[in-house]
Amino acid sequence: MSFKNKIVIITGASSGIGAAAAKMFSDESARVVIVGRNETKLSAVAKQCSSPLVVRADIANDDDARRVINETIKKFGQIDILVNNAGATMENGGLLGSDMMQTYDAIMSINLRAVVHLTTLAAPHLIKTKGNIVNVSSIGGVSPPGPGATNYNISKAALNHFTVCAAVELGGYGVRVNALSPGPVKTDFFDNVNEGYNVDTFRPFTMLNRVSEPEEMADVILYLASDRARGVTGSNYVNDNGMIIKRL
Ligand code: NDP
């Protein structure tokens, strides 16, 4: 899977799944654009990639989102792959949470609106290169694991439908759009949630009694972004150690 001469934007590349994907794309000869807000974490990832472009940006901010695309084009002149990986969950994201609507706006801005915006900005460039998009969603968008995260789950369900809509809109131009839905993955993701659980809490709720490493998600992202998946568009690849099927 060589990505030689491919320009790959990865949002949320300062940590977890995005960081693993950035390193893997770089190892496979891509030129990576790593995007996130935390400068220290971005610098640490940048050291593990070959000549990356680092764009410190809050993707929920429209000016920052435009800067991600503009700086990429200024430096590399093209975009081949957009990985919309950045995402967040927060406390009180359920119907009975104390600040449901504030959480709603914050989660929707990052998990959905920013993805729609970046896709709109990148689409003309992806059409030129016949590139593709991988959206990192969640099994919560397919089947809610439990109460308390309704905002997050509906943001990811909408992201799944957006993936299909974008695949329909861009397919005629040769641009593929796919989603990956992880189950529990060992990252910093649950640090924002103080509800007495961490990623290992989910282990017994999976068919395989395990949780994933970020590199397992990066493997699928690279596959979907590669020419090996040239016939795959509008798909949602579930990689969850059998967590959804255990609930069936
Ligand atoms: P991490 O918390 O490790 O990484 C999240 C990344 O998103 C960070 O790099 C963070 O960067 C970035 N980010 C968040 N908000 C913004 C923003 N407004 N602007 C720019 N960057 C932002 O978690 P994961 O690696 O696990 O999460 C990656 C994706 O995987 C998310 O979309 C998440 O929903 C999804 N996912 C994760 C699961 C898990 O169990 N870990 C399960 C299912 C889905 P910074 O802090 O530098 O801004």
Side-chain angles (χ1 to χ4, degrees):
M1 253 195 292
S2 175
F3 290 93
K4 197 168 170 37
N5 300 324
K6 301 289 185 193
I7 308 303
V8 186
I9 299 175
I10 304 127
T11 68
S14 57
S15 165
I17 295 168
K23 284 179 245 166
M24 214 176 269
F25 272 119
S26 182
D27 287 348
E28 297 293 339
S29 307
R31 296 298 302 273
V32 292
V33 181
I34 58 175
V35 181
R37 295 165 301 183
N38 186 310
E39 202 161 15
T40 311
K41 287 183 173 181
L42 278 173
S43 302
V45 177
K47 284 190 189 124
Q48 298 172 65
C49 299
S50 174
S51 306
L53 171 62
V54 180
V55 184
R56 191 174 168 212
D58 176 352
I59 56 158
N61 175 296
D62 284 0
D63 288 339
D64 277 16
R66 278 190 282 272
R67 200 161 45 76
V68 169
I69 303 302
N70 291 344
E71 288 190 20
T72 303
I73 294 301
K74 192 172 165 199
K75 181 160 175 83
F76 295 118
Q78 69 187 66
I79 302 169
D80 296 278
I81 296 160
L82 170 63
V83 182
N84 285 309
N85 163 75
T89 190
M90 293 161 200
E91 285 186 83
N92 300 324
L95 282 176
L96 305 179
S98 60
D99 219 346
M100 169 90 179
M101 295 320 292
Q102 187 189 335
T103 318
Y104 179 95
D105 288 338
I107 288 186
M108 286 295 174
S109 300
I110 299 169
N111 293 2
L112 184 63
R113 189 178 184 283
V115 175
V116 174
H117 190 208
L118 282 168
T119 300
T120 302
L121 295 169
H125 303 287
L126 293 169
I127 287 170
K128 283 185 201 155
T129 56
K130 297 207 185 307
N132 70 81
I133 299 173
V134 181
N135 294 326
V136 179
S137 185
S138 167
I139 56 165
V142 178
S143 162
T150 290
N151 276 338
Y152 177 75
N153 294 334
I154 62 177
S155 75
K156 294 299 192 178
L159 178 59
N160 293 345
H161 202 63
F162 174 68
T163 301
V164 176
C165 291
V168 168
E169 288 224 38
L170 298 175
Y173 298 95
V175 175
R176 299 183 297 108
V177 188
N178 291 290
L180 160 67
S181 284
V185 185
K186 292 181 211 166
T187 68
D188 297 342
F189 188 66
F190 296 99
D191 290 356
N192 281 328
V193 188
N194 184 22
E195 289 175 348
Y197 61 80
N198 60 38
V199 70
D200 283 313
T201 312
F202 296 101
R203 190 185 299 270
F205 299 101
T206 68
M207 198 61 91
L208 300 177
N209 193 32
R210 69 186 293 276
V211 295
S212 301
E213 301 292 339
E215 290 72 20
E216 296 171 51
M217 301 303 129
D219 276 337
V220 177
I221 292 170
L222 265 75
Y223 165 70
L224 289 172
S226 78
D227 198 46
R228 290 187 190 175
R230 57 193 171 276
V232 183
T233 195
S235 79
N236 181 5
Y237 193 111
V238 172
N239 188 357
D240 70 341
N241 298 298
M243 190 163 162
I244 289 179
I245 57 170
K246 189 150 184 178
R247 294 203 299 269
L248 292 178

